[in-house]
Amino acid sequence: MISFEQPQQIHPEKISTKEQILSNPAFIRFAGGFESYRDLLNINSDDKNKEAITERMLDFYTSRLNNVNKETQRSAVEEELFQIINIALQECRENNFSKDNFANRLATSSVINLFLSEWNRQESEVEEGSDMIHVNELIAYKKEGENEISLHIRPTGTESTELISKIFDGFQKIGSKLETGEIKADRIIMKSWLFNKKMEKITRLILGNKISIENTLPDDNDVTATQHLALQYNKKSLEKFLKTGEKPEVRQVIMTRDEFVARFKKI
C-alpha cells in the first residue's frame, strides 16, 4: 500500500492527469485487480463462492486500510483513499466498475499525488517512510545493518516488456556501487514473490544458475509486504487468492558482495 507521507506536489490539469493515469502501466495493473474481482463475482453463480471471494477481497483492502493508523483517526487523505476503494469495491459487486471511472475519481482526489509519486520513482529518490533508495524507477535498496542491504522490486509505471531489462539495469547499478564502495555491504538479501517455484527458471536466468533460492519464514514482515504488492499489482496472484485464499509464495536469495558484483559487472 502507498505511503501516506506527502511527496512533492504535482499539479497537472485535471484532464491531463486522468490521461496520465489511464496510460500508466502501474494503474492498469492496479485497476486490473478490481476488474478481476468484478468478473469473478459476475461469472460465478455459486453464492457461497461469491461470499468467500467478497470476504477475501474486503479483508485484503478494507482491513488493511482500517489498520493504516491504529492509534489515531485516519487523516483526511487516508479517509479519502478509504472512500475511493470502498466505492470501487461496491461498483465491482454491482458489475459497473470501469477503469475510466476509477481513473477519473483518482484524478479529482487529493490522493492522486501519492499514487503518481509511487508509480513514477526517479533514480536516487528516497522513499519516505521506508528509506528505500532507488537506483532506477524499479529497483531500490535499503541498508539493513552495518554489512547488509536488501534489494526491492517496487511498484512501477514501467511497461511489462521492459521489466527484465530494468531489473538487470538496477542490479548492475547496485553492483557498480558495491564495487566502488558507494554502497558498503558484504551481504545482499532479496525477498520476492517472483522467486516462486514456477518462475525459478527466470530467477536463475537473472541471478545465475548456482544461486540458492530459500524459503522464508511465515511471520516475516517483509513477506507480508511483498505478498501485498503482488496481490495489488498482479492479476493472476489476486485471482488465485480470491478463488482459493492462497497468497503468493515468497522466497529469498542471499548473495555475498563478491558474488553479486561478479554477476552484474558491466562488460
Side-chain angles (χ1 to χ4, degrees):
M1 183 58 67
I2 59 176
S3 167
F4 287 104
E5 298 289 340
Q6 288 286 356
Q8 184 176 355
Q9 293 298 303
I10 303 168
H11 295 293
E13 294 296 325
K14 290 288 191 291
I15 294 176
S16 63
T17 301
K18 180 181 175 182
E19 292 171 353
Q20 185 180 357
I21 295 167
L22 283 169
S23 64
N24 191 301
F27 168 76
I28 293 170
R29 297 180 193 115
F30 180 48
F34 290 92
E35 290 178 321
S36 293
Y37 174 52
R38 175 200 65 198
D39 295 343
L40 284 172
L41 287 181
N42 290 284
I43 289 171
N44 197 313
S45 59
D46 186 335
D47 288 340
K48 286 186 178 180
N49 220 358
K50 286 183 180 181
E51 186 177 335
I53 289 169
T54 298
E55 185 176 341
R56 290 174 187 133
M57 188 69 168
L58 290 176
D59 181 63
F60 172 57
Y61 269 110
T62 60
S63 66
R64 186 175 178 86
L65 288 168
N66 279 329
N67 291 329
V68 164
N69 202 339
K70 289 182 179 179
E71 296 182 359
T72 60
Q73 289 186 331
R74 284 193 293 264
S75 68
V77 173
E78 292 166 356
E79 182 62 34
E80 188 167 13
L81 176 60
F82 183 81
Q83 295 301 327
I84 288 171
I85 295 298
N86 270 325
I87 290 171
L89 293 172
Q90 182 63 35
E91 288 178 339
C92 290
R93 291 191 291 272
E94 295 171 352
N95 198 21
N96 61 4
F97 173 85
S98 72
K99 279 193 181 86
D100 191 80
N101 287 340
F102 194 33
N104 187 62
R105 200 169 291 120
L106 285 173
T108 56
S109 75
S110 61
V111 304
I112 187 53
N113 292 333
L114 299 171
F115 280 102
L116 291 179
S117 176
E118 181 169 274
W119 296 339
N120 297 284
R121 299 293 185 186
Q122 303 297 315
E123 184 174 346
S124 299
E125 181 177 348
V126 181
E127 291 190 27
E128 295 185 56
S130 71
D131 294 326
M132 293 183 192
I133 304 169
H134 278 256
V135 294
N136 65 16
E137 60 267 51
L138 179 61
I139 301 298
Y141 70 93
K142 181 179 180 180
K143 195 74 175 173
E144 298 291 351
E146 186 177 347
N147 293 307
E148 181 177 291
I149 59 170
S150 58
L151 303 190
H152 303 268
I153 300 174
R154 304 300 292 147
T156 179
T158 300
E159 295 284 354
S160 297
T161 54
E162 298 178 4
L163 290 176
I164 298 298
S165 64
K166 289 295 183 182
I167 290 173
F168 264 109
D169 172 72
F171 285 179
Q172 285 182 325
K173 287 177 178 175
I174 296 287
S176 177
K177 291 176 185 293
L178 285 166
E179 187 174 27
T180 61
E182 184 178 342
I183 298 176
K184 293 178 171 58
D186 295 326
R187 194 169 111 122
I188 295 89
I189 184 166
M190 295 167 273
K191 300 175 186 178
S192 177
W193 65 276
L194 296 172
F195 297 162
N196 66 69
K197 294 180 180 67
K198 288 184 178 180
M199 298 184 70
E200 188 166 321
K201 286 185 178 180
I202 297 176
T203 301
R204 294 190 181 281
L205 177 67
I206 296 173
L207 299 177
N209 284 322
K210 294 182 180 180
I211 58 162
S212 174
I213 307 175
E214 306 170 356
N215 293 328
T216 52
L217 297 174
D219 59 348
D220 188 326
N221 289 333
D222 290 337
V223 170
T224 302
T226 299
Q227 288 174 328
H228 178 82
L229 285 178
L231 294 173
Q232 194 173 9
Y233 289 104
N234 184 267
K235 286 180 67 170
K236 289 184 178 179
S237 295
L238 181 63
E239 286 175 3
K240 185 174 182 179
F241 169 68
L242 292 178
K243 289 176 181 177
T244 68
E246 184 179 342
K247 293 184 178 179
E249 177 187 29
V250 176
R251 295 199 293 170
Q252 68 182 10
V253 172
I254 300 173
M255 299 175 73
T256 67
R257 172 194 176 277
D258 291 344
E259 287 172 339
F260 196 91
V261 169
R263 176 63 183 171
F264 294 104
K265 191 178 184 68
K266 290 185 178 181
I267 299 173

